[in-house]
C-alpha cells in the first residue's frame, strides 16, 4: 500500500493518521477535511470554550512539531463528494479526484436540525465555527436562552449559559433527560442538576417551530408542541446527530445509520475502513471521544494488513461535565438492571453506583467520583472482554 487517504480531519481522522505512521506506513498520506481548521478537540466547545475560559489555541489536538512529523498532505476546506471504488479514487469538490490505495472514512456526523428555516440567534453546536457564532451571541449581554434537547450537548450548553448569567430553559421530548442510557432512577438524579442551578427543565414536550421577527429577523420565541410560547433571544438545538454518509451514496458501501463495518472497522472492501461517529462497527455506532480514539489503531492495523486481523471490543464508556459535576458511565445497562449506590450520596451529587443483573455488575455510573469510577470501570472491562484482541 503506497498511498492512504484519510477523509475527515478531526479526532478520529487524526488518530487514524497517527496510527498508520506508528504502525510503519511510510507512503503518501493525505488528510482531507471539510473544515478550514486543523484537528481540534470538540468536547470543550460546549464548556470551557463557550464560557471563555479556553481559547482556540487550547483546543488543538496536535502541535506544529507533530503535524510536521506526520508528513501528511492536508487538504483543509475541502469536501469529499464521492468514492469511486472501482477507480480507487476519492472524488473532491471542484471536480478533483484523489487516488489512494487505502481509504479511512472519518467524516463524523452532523447535527440534526429542526424543520423550517432558522432565524438569527438559532444555533446548533458541532464545530468550532458553530461555537464561535454561539459565543458571540452570548456575550452581547444577558439573554433568554432556550436549549432544545437535554442530552449531553444540550445539558452542557445549558450549564455554560447558566454560568454566564443567562436565563435558561431546557426542553426535552422524553420524560427525563438521559433516560435511555441511565434508566429512570439515575436519570432523575442527573436531571435535578438543572434545577440545582436555576435552569428550568420542561420534559415530555417537543418543539413545533421557532418564531422570528423584527427588522433583524432574529428569533423571538420557541413554540412548543403543546402550544406554549417560550420567549427567547438565543436558541440552541441539540437533538442528536446523523452520520455524514451522503457523499458515499452510489459507492457500493453498505450504509445504515453509518458505514457498516465488521468488528475491526473494515468494510466489505478491505482497503476501506471507517472510524469514529460515522462508523457502525459490528452493528453499533458510538458517538463518543473514547470510541473514536480506540477504533483508529485497530482500523489502521487492518487496513495495512489487507484483512481483519484485529477487532475493537471496548466496553462502552462516556462522560459529560454539567454544572461542575462530572458524570461518567461505563458498561451495558439492560432495561431491567437495578442500580445500587456503592459510596457517596445522590443528595450530595457525588456518588458511585453499579447496575446489577442476577448478581452480576453490568454497568457503573459516577457523579464526581472519578478515581473509584475508573477502578470499577477497569474491573468491569476485565470481567467482560479486552478492548482489542
Amino acid at each position: 500500500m503506497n498511498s492512504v487517504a484519510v477523509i475527515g480531519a478531526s479526532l478520529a481522522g487524526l488518530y487514524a493518521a497517527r496510527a498508520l505512521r506508528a504502525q510503519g506506513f511510510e507512503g503518501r498520506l493525505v488528510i482531507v477535511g471539510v473544515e478550514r481548521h486543523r484537528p481540534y478537540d470538540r468536547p470543550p466547545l460546549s464548556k470551557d470554550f463557550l464560557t471563555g475560559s479556553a481559547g482556540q489555541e487550547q483546543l488543538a489536538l496536535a502541535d506544529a512539531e507533530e503535524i510536521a512529523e506526520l508528513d501528511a498532505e492536508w487538504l483543509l476546506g475541502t469536501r469529499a463528494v464521492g468514492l469511486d471504488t472501482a477507480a480507487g479514487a476519492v472524488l473532491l469538490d471542484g471536480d478533483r479526484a484523489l487516488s489512494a490505495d487505502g481509504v479511512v472514512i472519518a467524516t463524523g456526523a452532523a447535527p440534526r436540525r429542526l424543520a423550517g428555516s432558522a432565524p438569527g440567534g438559532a444555533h446548533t453546536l458541532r464545530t468550532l465555527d458553530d461555537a464561535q457564532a454561539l459565543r458571540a451571541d452570548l456575550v452581547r449581554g444577558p439573554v433568554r436562552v432556550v436549549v432544545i434537547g437535554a442530552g449531553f450537548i444540550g445539558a452542557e450548553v445549558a450549564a455554560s449559559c447558566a454560568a454566564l448569567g443567562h436565563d435558561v430553559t431546557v426542553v426535552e421530548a422524553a420524560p427525563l433527560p438521559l433516560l435511555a442510557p441511565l434508566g429512570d432512577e439515575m436519570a432523575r438524579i442527573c436531571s435535578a442538576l438543572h434545577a440545582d442551578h436555576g435552569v428550568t427543565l420542561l420534559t415530555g414536550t417537543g418543539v413545533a417551530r421557532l418564531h422570528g421577527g423584527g427588522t433583524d429577523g432574529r428569533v423571538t420565541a420557541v413554540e412548543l408542541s403543546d402550544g406554549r410560547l417560550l420567549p427567547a433571544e438565543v436558541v440552541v438545538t441539540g437533538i442528536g446527530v446523523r452520520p455524514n454518509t451522503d457523499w458515499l451514496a452510489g459507492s457500493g458501501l453498505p450504509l445504515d445509520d453509518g458505514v457498516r463495518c465488521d468488528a475491526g472497522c473494515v468494510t466489505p472492501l478491505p482497503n476501506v475502513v471507517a472510524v469514529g461517529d460515522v462508523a457502525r462497527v459490528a452493528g453499533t455506532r458510538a458517538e463518543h471521544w473514547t470510541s473514536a480514539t480506540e477504533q483508529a489503531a485497530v482500523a489502521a492495523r487492518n487496513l495495512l494488513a489487507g484483512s481483519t486481523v484485529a477487532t475493537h471490543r471496548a466496553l462502552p464508556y462516556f462522560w459529560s461535565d454539567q454544572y461542575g459535576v462530572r458524570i461518567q458511565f461505563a458498561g451495558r445497562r439492560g432495561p431491567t438492571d437495578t442500580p445500587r449506590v456503592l459510596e457517596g450520596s445522590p443528595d450530595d451529587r457525588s456518588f458511585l453506583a453499579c447496575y446489577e443483573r442476577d448478581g452480576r455488575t453490568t454497568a457503573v455510573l459516577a457523579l464526581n467520583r472519578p478515581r473509584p469510577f475508573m477502578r470499577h470501570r477497569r474491573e468491569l472491562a476485565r470481567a467482560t472482554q479486552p478492548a482489542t484482541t
Side-chain angles (χ1 to χ4, degrees):
M1 186 166 291
N2 297 313
S3 60
V4 173
V6 178
I7 313 303
S10 191
L11 179 75
L14 174 65
Y15 270 70
R18 285 173 172 170
L20 286 165
R21 290 304 194 208
Q23 294 177 28
F25 176 67
E26 297 179 349
R28 182 189 184 201
L29 180 60
V30 184
I31 303 174
V32 179
V34 69
E35 294 185 64
R36 55 190 173 87
H37 310 289
R38 288 202 187 276
Y40 59 87
D41 208 14
R42 295 189 193 276
L45 295 181
S46 58
K47 300 180 281 287
D48 292 345
F49 183 82
L50 201 57
T51 60
S53 57
Q56 181 175 341
E57 65 283 354
Q58 295 166 278
L59 302 178
L61 286 169
D63 58 23
E65 182 179 356
E66 182 182 5
I67 293 295
E69 289 177 351
L70 274 178
D71 190 24
E73 299 172 41
W74 294 82
L75 301 180
L76 299 178
T78 300
R79 184 179 297 276
V81 298
L83 179 62
D84 187 339
T85 54
V90 179
L91 308 181
L92 307 177
D93 55 9
D95 293 324
R96 294 172 290 171
L98 173 63
S99 297
D101 300 323
V103 176
V104 179
I105 299 172
T107 44
R112 297 186 182 276
R113 301 177 185 273
L114 298 174
S117 59
H123 301 267
T124 56
L125 181 56
R126 178 73 180 181
T127 68
L128 176 57
D129 291 344
D130 292 339
Q132 289 172 330
L134 176 55
R135 190 163 75 171
D137 268 353
L138 293 175
V139 299
R140 293 159 37 137
V143 293
R144 291 168 293 187
V145 180
V146 174
V147 178
I148 303 169
F152 301 121
I153 291 294
E156 290 171 0
V157 168
S160 295
C161 290
L164 291 170
H166 300 296
D167 182 302
V168 184
T169 299
V170 178
V171 179
E172 169 58 45
L176 285 170
L178 305 180
L179 183 60
L182 301 186
D184 185 89
E185 182 179 347
M186 293 295 127
R188 199 173 299 278
I189 293 169
C190 292
S191 298
L193 293 171
H194 294 291
D196 290 349
H197 294 82
V199 172
T200 301
L201 174 63
L202 303 178
T203 60
T205 184
V207 171
R209 63 191 181 107
L210 304 183
H211 289 250
T215 56
D216 58 2
R218 291 182 62 85
V219 66
T220 58
V222 176
E223 182 179 339
L224 303 183
S225 54
D226 58 15
R228 282 179 290 175
L229 283 179
L230 304 178
E233 287 80 41
V234 173
V235 174
V236 184
T237 301
I239 54 175
V241 300
R242 60 177 187 84
N244 285 320
T245 58
D246 291 350
W247 68 284
L248 293 168
S251 67
L253 293 179
L255 307 177
D256 176 19
D257 185 38
V259 179
R260 288 212 314 261
C261 319
D262 65 14
C265 305
V266 181
T267 73
L269 298 176
N271 67 325
V272 179
V273 298
V275 292
D277 291 359
V278 75
R280 189 171 184 82
V281 180
T284 300
R285 191 171 63 83
E287 298 173 3
H288 298 294
W289 196 96
T290 306
S291 299
T293 60
E294 292 177 344
Q295 289 169 358
V298 173
R301 181 179 174 188
N302 293 331
L303 182 65
L304 296 178
S307 64
T308 303
V309 297
T311 58
H312 177 261
R313 305 291 294 177
L315 188 72
Y317 166 63
F318 66 78
W319 81 90
S320 178
D321 294 318
Q322 305 172 18
Y323 305 104
V325 174
R326 168 151 288 196
I327 301 171
Q328 295 171 284
F329 179 90
R332 298 178 175 87
R333 182 192 73 86
T336 61
D337 294 355
T338 303
R340 179 168 62 92
V341 175
L342 302 179
E343 63 176 72
S345 169
D347 293 338
D348 297 332
R349 311 298 189 245
S350 176
F351 67 92
L352 176 76
C354 68
Y355 293 83
E356 297 176 331
R357 182 194 317 153
D358 300 327
R360 179 173 59 88
T361 298
T362 58
V364 182
L365 169 70
L367 269 65
N368 276 350
R369 296 272 169 154
R371 288 187 178 179
F373 171 83
M374 295 307 292
R375 183 176 68 252
H376 281 268
R377 177 192 172 195
R378 288 192 297 268
E379 292 173 356
L380 185 59
R382 284 194 296 268
T384 53
Q385 49 190 320
T388 305
T389 59

